[in-house]
Amino acid sequence: MNIVRLLILLAVLVVGLIIGALNSQPIIISLGFTQINSTTGVAIIIALLSGALIGGGLVLASMVIPLYAKLRRAQKAAPAVVVAPPSSSTFDGR
């Protein structure tokens, strides 16, 4: 499984390098109060990364955290199940 993750990481890294190399035109990003000088490739990669992080955060806040809270409430409401320890009998099943 670790080799698959490594291959995916390398593929994403290569795609990022290709995007950065093919889009090397300088741009100026104006934020109203300041300006940022960058290249098109860096701006594209940062936009993709920030979109993925914001989307993941929204999913976490709107779905995962409420489901964990619901699971905790359900576990507190469920009666505790006591499992008896296995007996020390010498009976082997024959």
Side-chain angles (χ1 to χ4, degrees):
M1 188 66 175
N2 288 336
I3 195 85
V4 173
R5 287 183 183 172
L6 180 63
L7 290 174
I8 291 172
L9 175 70
L10 288 174
V12 169
L13 181 64
V14 167
V15 168
L17 288 173
I18 291 171
I19 289 174
L22 292 176
N23 298 290
S24 61
Q25 299 83 14
I27 60 170
I28 298 173
I29 301 171
S30 178
L31 301 175
F33 56 90
T34 188
Q35 292 181 345
I36 300 172
N37 295 323
S38 180
T39 62
T40 311
V42 172
I44 291 171
I45 292 172
I46 289 174
L48 288 171
L49 180 63
S50 62
L53 291 175
I54 291 170
L58 287 173
V59 168
L60 182 72
S62 66
M63 301 250 338
V64 175
I65 293 173
L67 286 175
Y68 273 132
K70 188 175 180 179
L71 179 63
R72 262 186 259 119
R73 283 193 304 268
Q75 286 177 340
K76 285 181 182 178
V81 177
V82 178
V83 178
S87 63
S88 61
S89 172
T90 58
F91 180 67
D92 64 355
R94 292 187 216 170

